[in-house]
Amino acid sequence: MSHPSQASRRLFLQQAAALGTLGAAAPMALNLAALGPAAAAGATDYKALVCVFLTGGNDAYNTVLATDTDSWNFYKAARKAGNDSISLLKDVAPDTSAVPATPAWLGGVRALQPTTTQGRSFALHPSLGQMQRLFNTDKRLAILSNVGTLDEPVDKATYVAGKAKLPDPLFSHNDQASQWLAMAREGASQGWGGRLADAFAADNNQSLFTAVSVAGNAVWLSGRTVRQYSINPFGAIKYGFSRDAAGIERIGGSVEAAAAIKRQATQPGVNHVLMKDLAAIHQASIQAEAQLAGALPDVEAAPYGPASLMDVQLLGSGKVRNGLAHQLRMVAGMIAAAPKLGLKRQVFFVTLPGFDTHSGQNNRHTELMMQLDHGLAYFDTVLQSLGVSNQVTTFTASDFGRTFTSNGDGTDHGWGSHQFVMGGAVKGGDIHGAFPVFTAKNTLNNDFPGSPDQLYNGVLLPKQSAVQMGATLGRWFGLSGTQLADVFPTLSRFGSADLGFMKA
């Protein structure tokens, strides 16, 4: 085994800034020899990618809807079955006397005005009013139609014949989430967000703050050299210390105790390389928290706060804290701090959990849509205030879509889904990619024989790959074709490396 360069070893120590900040599946005994120096991409501007992961599998059918007559009739027939209809309505006002979250209470779906109509009409869930504005009026929101995890392009005939190469296992939460974030099954150690960031590690002065999660460990942020740094929605994760306005650290009110623990953690008495490395990691964690505390703006003040800006109205409960908005507030603060931290490129990860809607879908999905709508609109407003909307691109991803058919009061695991992309650099106000064809189920074999896009129970067969989506974002981020081919090894299998939803 060859010995690593000193630069690579230093980068490892800088990136591994505490147990909580190590990338997914990155053990302490990480092979330092594998950490080659990052390519210098020569970035002179600033750009950030923000992944909003909708954990559990978002129901795309009730998020973005085709409302032309044929599509709508097939949709209603598939979704009205069972004890609790999950078929949304159109062209009706909300009925406030109806049971909350029922289609009648919600009122009609919100019409979209895409630049390209595809000869059809489209709408959003009734709770996505601010996203409707971002799409129709502000043109800072786009929709990617029927995107999913694919190893190679697959048509329905090939799938039905059992001859398709698939991102197996389909319909598994953990594996399909990993396919989206790492383009590999569960257990992957690198994600494509971290791999994009690898190319700019040198431009960022090997900064620890290149890849930042506000939602715990996320494989999407782990690269070959870049390792994620975890913060919480309220700031840096402290090393057990409190720090007053003068920067004095205490534990339990004691300055002496804080100093003693720092000495113990950062000056091991054993002259062993692993102990030295562990001490260096502790030291890096302490220094990183202090550096970040000095660079972050006051996120309680405008334009990030007050905290009431992050409260959302949910069903019958008044306004409550929107965890997604709180995460995005911290992302905005980190973006504002980027010049002080010397950063040219950053990737961020946040989550909105709860999308596994096998039951109670009307209530659960409605509240999730309320949080997504509020969180994205809040983030867009803050980015506009900071003057960085053109430099930040936010996108959604989810384990998978869900079934067209209802299981009674919910939906089951699917495959393809629709995703949102938001930002000033996005070709907003349009649906990118052919919208799927809907039809009726054949009750004999549980298939949808009239649609090239729907499998059993109406599962969407993806027509655009998550690989292509990632490569399109990566090209905007600044990577060359060669670098993109390295990040996405299967990219050459698809007809286009650019889905066309980003401006030049």
Side-chain angles (χ1 to χ4, degrees):
M1 179 184 298
S2 60
H3 292 287
S5 68
Q6 289 300 311
S8 294
R9 188 169 181 273
R10 284 196 301 272
L11 176 58
F12 167 73
L13 296 176
Q14 291 167 346
Q15 296 283 339
L19 296 179
T21 64
L22 285 171
M28 285 299 297
L30 187 64
N31 181 1
L32 296 179
L35 297 181
T44 58
D45 57 353
Y46 174 84
K47 289 183 178 180
L49 279 174
V50 183
C51 175
V52 178
F53 199 78
L54 310 179
T55 306
N58 178 40
D59 177 21
Y61 284 116
N62 269 18
T63 302
V64 183
L65 303 94
T67 57
D68 54 278
T69 301
D70 287 346
S71 298
W72 190 256
N73 287 338
F74 288 129
Y75 165 83
K76 287 193 300 182
R79 297 222 142 186
K80 277 192 171 181
N83 302 323
D84 191 4
S85 173
I86 60 171
S87 173
L88 297 172
L89 306 176
K90 67 173 180 175
D91 302 326
V92 298
D95 180 358
T96 56
S97 67
V99 176
T102 59
W105 182 86
L106 286 168
V109 293
R110 294 181 176 271
L112 293 175
Q113 300 164 358
T115 303
T116 308
T117 66
Q118 304 187 32
R120 303 167 74 177
S121 57
F122 304 97
L124 293 176
H125 188 281
S127 297
L128 298 180
Q130 296 189 80
M131 292 173 66
Q132 179 193 37
R133 169 185 56 80
L134 286 167
F135 185 97
N136 286 344
T137 305
D138 298 343
K139 308 294 185 184
R140 287 197 297 277
L141 184 73
I143 294 166
L144 303 189
S145 173
N146 198 10
V147 189
T149 58
L150 287 168
D151 284 344
E152 62 185 16
V154 176
D155 60 30
K156 187 169 179 176
T158 306
Y159 180 89
V160 172
K163 297 179 179 179
K165 179 177 172 58
L166 302 175
D168 186 62
L170 289 175
F171 316 121
S172 159
H173 284 292
N174 291 347
D175 289 289
Q176 288 303 299
S178 184
Q179 290 280 356
W180 260 102
L181 300 174
M183 308 300 176
R185 295 180 64 162
E186 183 183 14
S189 60
Q190 295 179 13
W192 59 268
R195 295 285 298 279
L196 293 180
D198 281 339
F200 298 93
D203 295 319
N204 280 357
N205 298 315
Q206 319 294 11
S207 173
L208 184 67
F209 309 115
T210 297
V212 179
S213 174
V214 200
N217 278 348
V219 69
W220 185 69
L221 294 172
S222 293
R224 287 175 178 151
T225 56
V226 167
R227 290 291 176 265
Q228 67 179 286
Y229 180 79
S230 290
I231 60 176
N232 64 42
F234 304 97
I237 298 174
K238 301 182 185 300
Y239 194 79
F241 308 131
S242 61
R243 182 180 284 109
D244 62 21
I248 298 173
E249 296 170 331
R250 292 179 171 83
I251 290 181
S254 171
V255 175
E256 293 77 11
I261 289 178
K262 284 180 67 174
R263 286 194 302 272
Q264 183 67 27
T266 60
Q267 297 178 9
V270 179
N271 187 21
H272 188 283
V273 64
L274 290 180
M275 293 299 293
K276 289 181 177 179
D277 283 353
L278 182 60
I281 290 169
H282 287 302
Q283 184 67 49
S285 177
I286 294 168
Q287 292 173 348
E289 189 272 321
Q291 182 184 8
L292 190 57
L296 276 175
D298 179 6
V299 294
E300 299 295 331
Y304 318 94
S308 59
L309 290 178
M310 284 149 286
D311 292 344
V312 61
Q313 178 73 49
L314 296 183
L315 300 172
S317 59
K319 285 195 171 185
V320 298
R321 177 180 178 270
N322 183 356
L324 175 62
H326 272 262
Q327 294 174 65
L328 289 171
R329 178 181 70 163
M330 185 49 57
V331 171
M334 289 291 295
I335 290 169
K340 290 184 179 180
L341 297 171
L343 298 166
K344 298 297 184 183
R345 292 292 187 274
Q346 286 182 286
V347 289
F348 296 94
F349 185 84
V350 301
T351 61
L352 178 58
F355 283 89
D356 197 17
T357 52
H358 289 285
S359 61
Q361 172 155 323
N362 281 332
N363 282 64
R364 293 175 63 193
H365 196 250
T366 292
E367 290 201 331
L368 290 165
M369 292 295 97
M370 289 174 170
Q371 292 172 77
L372 180 65
D373 185 66
H374 170 260
L376 290 185
Y378 162 80
F379 191 48
D380 176 75
T381 299
V382 175
L383 295 180
Q384 291 285 311
S385 298
L386 294 174
V388 295
S389 176
N390 292 348
Q391 299 159 266
V392 181
T393 297
T394 304
F395 67 95
T396 63
S398 192
D399 314 18
F400 34 62
R402 305 195 76 81
T403 54
F404 195 40
T405 57
S406 168
N407 63 18
D409 67 340
T411 53
D412 297 319
H413 296 181
W415 190 0
S417 60
H418 313 310
Q419 302 300 340
F420 297 105
V421 188
M422 184 181 76
V426 174
K427 292 181 181 178
D430 210 357
I431 296 173
H432 298 268
F435 207 81
V437 174
F438 300 162
T439 188
K441 180 171 69 172
N442 181 329
T443 57
L444 295 179
N445 60 17
N446 212 28
D447 195 8
F448 286 69
S451 170
D453 304 314
Q454 291 179 296
L455 304 171
Y456 34 75
N457 280 336
V459 168
L460 284 178
L461 175 62
K463 293 301 183 185
Q464 302 187 99
S465 171
V467 170
Q468 294 169 289
M469 178 179 171
T472 306
L473 292 167
R475 187 177 298 278
W476 170 80
F477 204 54
L479 271 71
S480 68
T482 301
Q483 289 171 316
L484 289 174
D486 179 56
V487 174
F488 304 102
T490 63
L491 184 59
S492 62
R493 301 175 187 173
F494 299 93
S496 174
D498 190 339
L499 295 181
F501 58 83
M502 299 299 294
K503 298 174 183 177

